[in-house]
Amino acid sequence: MKAVCPQYETSERLVESIHRNFGGFYPGCRGVHANGRYYAATFVGSPAAPRISRALHLQGDATPATVRFSNSPSGNPMGPARSVSMATKFFLPDGTVTDLVALPLAVFITRTPEETLAFLEVAGPDPGTGIRDEVRIQAFVAARPWIGHALQLLQAAPAALSFARTRFNALHAFRFVNADGNACHARYSWEPEAGEAGQTLEALHQHPPSHLYEELEARLRDGPVGYRLALQIAGPEDPTHDPTAAWPADRQRVIIGRLELTRPTSPEEIGDPVMLHDPTRLTDGIEMSDDPILAARRGIYELSAAHRTGGWKGRSAALARAGGMGCPFTALAST
């Protein structure tokens, strides 16, 4: 499939490189985080949130939401559990949606889409032997110490003990604007109300691949699972364009809302078989930063969705109109 316009060319090369070098392409499945399940939720903005943003879901009313958890970064839907992800979709009262995509990482690995593509090509296995060239990888990383730092953090991070006890970070900076036009840059984090905890990857692999979903669903049978949505506010000198650079820990932190998961759901119940989660699909009051990785994700996600749905003409009506849809849970909307 060829990119539909020139600005998507890098995105197309990235999607193809992911399929080629990391897990292969499985028809009908996501290129990464292929193994996932969906959960119904409700989000309520905090009293502090309107001072930061005029976004509809941050004004204090209950907003229906869905969460897709994945238990592996691989494109293999049957692969073992490894690193997890959390993609949240908010169904706004004006009939539109906005998405928030988060990972249990402190920083991203690369600074630009071009650097990401170069890293994927270097780190991928040789087409003839299926073996990665460790010397070549080490030389690439040594010339880019920010990648080495991110990889060290990734390797040192524990595996998930539970989705309900994992902190998820959106990694990119966004620009938040309130009703008076005042703006600030900040980064999101989902903080689990049950507290943070992890385990070794070896311990996780003692369980079947579906264990993290089953553990979460057992919790949900006993009651809702909650997360606080926190913002770390950027200081004047904090870079907003570089997702590999962490901001100092003493920056102001504000809780802007609470998410409550209630039960499993499905794309069929939601009414959107594609369920694209695009971190650039924003709403008034939340804007893109100057992060080039964030900007590239729109093309990457749309092209990946086109791959798994049979091309642009095979997309659902919901995807074709960029996510405009009604609330899928009338019961939630009335609570």
Side-chain angles (χ1 to χ4, degrees):
M1 181 188 69
K2 297 299 181 184
V4 295
C5 48
Q7 62 263 38
Y8 278 54
E9 290 178 1
T10 299
S11 296
E12 182 179 42
R13 293 172 65 197
L14 282 163
V15 170
E16 291 175 348
S17 183
I18 290 168
H19 290 165
R20 181 170 63 252
N21 295 318
F22 291 88
F25 175 62
Y26 293 78
C29 296
R30 285 167 166 78
V32 293
H33 305 293
N35 188 317
R37 294 188 189 180
Y38 296 85
Y39 299 88
T42 301
F43 178 82
V44 178
S46 74
R51 296 198 292 269
I52 294 175
S53 174
R54 59 178 179 251
L56 289 176
H57 60 305
L58 299 179
Q59 304 313 301
D61 295 327
T63 299
T66 58
V67 173
R68 183 186 189 269
F69 286 114
S70 171
N71 71 353
S72 172
S74 169
N76 181 355
M78 304 303 292
R82 295 188 65 84
S83 180
V84 296
S85 69
M86 179 179 180
T88 307
K89 188 178 297 293
F90 304 91
F91 295 84
L92 305 179
D94 65 357
T96 65
V97 299
T98 187
D99 298 334
L100 199 168
V101 178
L103 301 168
L105 308 177
V107 294
F108 196 63
I109 294 174
T110 55
R111 291 176 169 177
T112 67
E114 294 75 18
E115 187 174 72
T116 306
L117 181 62
F119 178 68
L120 288 171
E121 295 299 328
V122 167
D126 181 273
T129 65
I131 300 173
R132 302 183 194 278
D133 187 337
E134 296 297 335
V135 174
R136 187 183 178 203
I137 294 171
Q138 290 173 10
F140 185 91
V141 172
R144 300 161 181 83
W146 54 92
I147 296 181
H149 176 252
L151 291 175
Q152 289 176 353
L153 293 176
L154 178 62
Q155 292 166 358
L161 180 68
S162 167
F163 289 122
R165 303 200 65 185
T166 299
R167 177 191 178 100
F168 294 91
N169 305 305
L171 301 181
H172 307 287
F174 293 86
R175 184 173 183 264
F176 295 81
V177 185
N178 66 17
D180 295 325
N182 299 317
C184 67
H185 282 88
R187 286 173 170 166
Y188 289 108
S189 292
W190 288 115
E191 299 179 347
E193 291 184 346
E196 297 179 47
Q199 62 182 330
T200 66
L201 188 60
E202 292 76 16
L204 176 58
H205 286 170
Q206 296 299 310
H207 301 280
S210 59
H211 168 70
L212 291 175
Y213 303 116
E214 293 166 357
E215 194 275 345
L216 176 62
E217 289 161 19
R219 287 177 181 264
L220 290 173
R221 287 192 289 273
D222 291 332
V225 168
Y227 294 85
R228 296 177 295 271
L229 184 57
L231 288 184
Q232 184 188 29
I233 309 297
E237 305 302 321
D238 292 336
T240 57
H241 68 287
D242 184 359
T244 72
W247 296 341
D250 63 356
R251 294 293 182 257
Q252 181 186 5
R253 174 178 159 278
V254 180
I255 301 297
I256 61 168
R258 179 178 184 271
L259 183 74
E260 185 174 275
L261 279 66
T262 54
R263 61 179 176 83
T265 185
S266 67
E268 291 75 20
E269 180 189 8
I270 297 164
D272 181 4
V274 177
M275 283 301 286
L276 171 64
H277 296 91
D278 177 355
T280 73
R281 183 159 53 196
L282 304 175
T283 189
D284 180 55
I286 305 173
E287 301 173 357
M288 301 267 284
S289 67
D290 53 352
D291 182 343
I293 295 286
L294 176 61
R297 290 179 75 169
R298 169 166 293 177
I300 293 168
Y301 282 60
E302 289 185 354
L303 286 166
S304 183
H307 271 284
R308 63 184 168 88
T309 58
W312 297 108
K313 291 183 179 180
R315 296 180 303 166
S316 71
L319 178 58
R321 63 177 181 267
M325 63 196 321
C327 166
F329 303 120
T330 55
L332 285 179
S334 63
T335 59

